[in-house]
Amino acid sequence: MSQERDIHPGALRWLLDGDEPSVRLFALTDLLSLPCDAPEVVATRHDVMSRGAVPRILDGQGDDGHWEGRDRFYTAKYRGTVWQLIILAELGADGADERVRRGCEAVLRDAQDRLSGGFAVDRARKEGGGLHGRVVPCLTGNMVFALVRLGLLDDARVQAAIDWLTTYARFDDGDGEAPNTLAGLAGDTEPASGWPYDAFAMCWGRHTCHMGVAKTLKGLAEIPPERRSPAVRRTLDDGTEFLLRHHVHKRSHDLAKDAKPGWKRFGFPLMYQTDALEILGLLAKLGKAGDERAGCARALVASRADAQGRWALQQTMNGRFRVDIETKGEPSRWVTLKALAALRG
């Protein structure tokens, strides 16, 4: 129990004794570093599938594996299929469960572009799969995260999605005056054009969308270190440098300004959004949270703890989820769990 030494007295017990077994699962594995075959972990994984949010989400699944139908897997925010898979993965659902696997197959069948391996926000009704012209990076990163965490790393379709991220990821930080030196495509010094960049200027443009970068890293960071290809490692390195150049949540060309004020309000689950806590957690997972450029974010996260060592849920999309997660403004086990893990990384 030496892992408890950095946690406020009572905070760990609060995480372990709550009504949501998913929180207990990640407290055991992420904070106490118990192995996956430890009796407490095995028992808690069983609880995750039998009580709490996970079975309630699965109860709403259709016979075809989708929630809200085949054509609303993305547009039914945040009740459609892609969003349920993200939440199920976040909650530690068992990827071997037949219902979970059926949802994975549904999104691979109807959302993945068959030409490129990326994930699209619309279905190609004639050709099948995701619509080629509607592939976006944040969704692809989120789907890689969810599918890998749910046990599909070795699936050829998931490998194709990983290849999409490493091939097309951009980390442009151009201001029109200096050439970009952080492009995901080796040798590029100008913002990319052509497919897939032209269709979504909000994702690419002269400055790559911060949220797309975060979700790209979130997907690739889920791959175990020993399974990361040179292309994955390169993309993780480039994306990490991009985030550190921004001091996590700042404007890189004016570090006195926040990129978005909302990123200083912590929430869970974040879906396609991000915040300073999620990014710091990604850096911690990748061994980079100790970089001095992440110091402001570390201080920000640490400052939000209350006297009991708990963090509040400041940002939420409750009311739009199938199953609401915690209560805005109140101490949050999820945010507390993630803050402790990020600060210890």
Side-chain angles (χ1 to χ4, degrees):
M1 286 298 219
S2 61
Q3 294 286 337
E4 297 180 38
R5 64 184 181 275
D6 297 326
I7 301 176
H8 189 283
L12 180 60
R13 185 53 50 194
W14 181 65
L15 294 176
L16 293 172
D17 289 348
D19 293 332
E20 180 53 69
S22 294
V23 173
R24 174 178 169 80
L25 173 64
F26 290 108
L28 290 171
T29 57
D30 292 356
L31 297 183
L32 296 182
S33 301
L34 293 186
C36 61
D37 58 352
E40 302 99 312
V41 175
V42 173
T44 304
R45 287 193 183 280
H46 179 270
D47 287 345
V48 166
M49 300 305 294
S50 60
R51 62 184 180 88
V54 168
R56 293 170 62 196
I57 292 170
L58 291 171
D59 283 346
Q61 186 182 39
D63 292 339
D64 64 353
H66 280 290
W67 289 260
E68 303 292 324
R70 293 183 72 185
D71 293 317
R72 303 184 69 230
F73 58 77
Y74 180 89
T75 57
K77 295 179 179 177
Y78 294 98
R79 302 174 64 85
T81 309
V82 300
W83 312 111
Q84 305 323 298
L85 290 182
I86 294 168
I87 296 176
L88 288 170
E90 293 274 20
L91 298 180
D94 181 2
D97 181 273
E98 187 273 334
R99 298 162 297 175
V100 176
R101 188 55 57 91
R102 193 165 69 240
C104 294
E105 288 298 327
V107 81
L108 285 163
R109 180 182 67 242
D110 291 331
Q112 187 174 33
D113 172 27
R114 295 178 180 177
L115 293 175
S116 70
F119 284 86
V121 299
D122 293 303
R123 182 166 71 93
R125 300 187 185 185
K126 291 183 179 180
E127 300 86 356
L131 194 61
H132 183 68
R134 300 283 287 170
V135 174
V136 294
C138 59
L139 176 58
T140 303
N142 266 330
M143 288 298 93
V144 168
F145 159 77
L147 293 167
V148 171
R149 179 167 282 194
L150 293 172
L152 291 174
L153 173 59
D154 291 322
D155 190 294
R157 297 164 295 179
V158 176
Q159 287 295 315
I162 292 169
D163 289 344
W164 191 95
L165 291 174
T166 61
T167 299
Y168 295 107
R170 297 286 302 193
F171 307 107
D172 295 298
D173 195 30
D175 56 8
E177 297 177 2
N180 166 52
T181 59
L182 295 171
L185 302 179
D188 287 347
T189 56
E190 294 295 332
S193 60
W195 186 91
Y197 308 109
D198 291 348
F200 291 96
M202 69 184 77
C203 299
W204 313 104
R206 293 194 63 81
H207 192 290
T208 304
C209 173
H210 227 82
M211 293 179 286
V213 173
K215 302 311 174 183
T216 293
L217 263 63
K218 185 172 184 176
L220 297 180
E222 198 62 25
I223 302 170
E226 67 275 9
R227 297 288 307 277
R228 293 171 189 166
S229 68
V232 167
R233 293 196 297 270
R234 183 204 70 226
T235 307
L236 285 170
D237 287 345
D238 289 348
T240 298
E241 181 59 28
F242 176 91
L243 295 174
L244 288 171
R245 183 175 180 179
H246 287 78
H247 289 213
V248 176
H249 61 287
K250 301 289 187 178
R251 296 186 183 182
S252 63
H253 302 295
D254 186 352
L255 292 171
K257 296 181 179 180
D258 294 315
K260 283 192 176 181
W263 291 343
K264 297 169 72 173
R265 298 191 295 271
F266 307 147
F268 178 86
L270 295 172
M271 316 314 275
Y272 74 87
Q273 308 271 357
T274 193
D275 61 25
L277 174 55
E278 179 181 59
I279 294 172
L280 186 65
L282 288 171
L283 293 174
K285 191 169 187 175
L286 295 168
K288 298 295 181 69
D291 190 291
E292 63 180 9
R293 293 170 291 178
C296 182
R298 290 197 305 272
L300 170 66
V301 171
S303 72
R304 296 295 172 81
D306 65 15
Q308 287 74 47
R310 306 176 185 187
W311 280 256
L313 182 70
Q314 299 172 298
Q315 195 90 293
T316 181
M317 289 170 279
N318 280 347
R320 302 181 69 185
F321 296 139
R322 301 190 71 87
V323 177
D324 286 346
I325 306 293
E326 302 185 309
T327 303
K328 185 177 181 179
E330 294 187 3
S332 162
R333 286 181 169 84
W334 279 111
V335 177
T336 299
L337 175 71
K338 290 184 174 296
L340 290 171
L343 291 173
R344 291 153 60 87

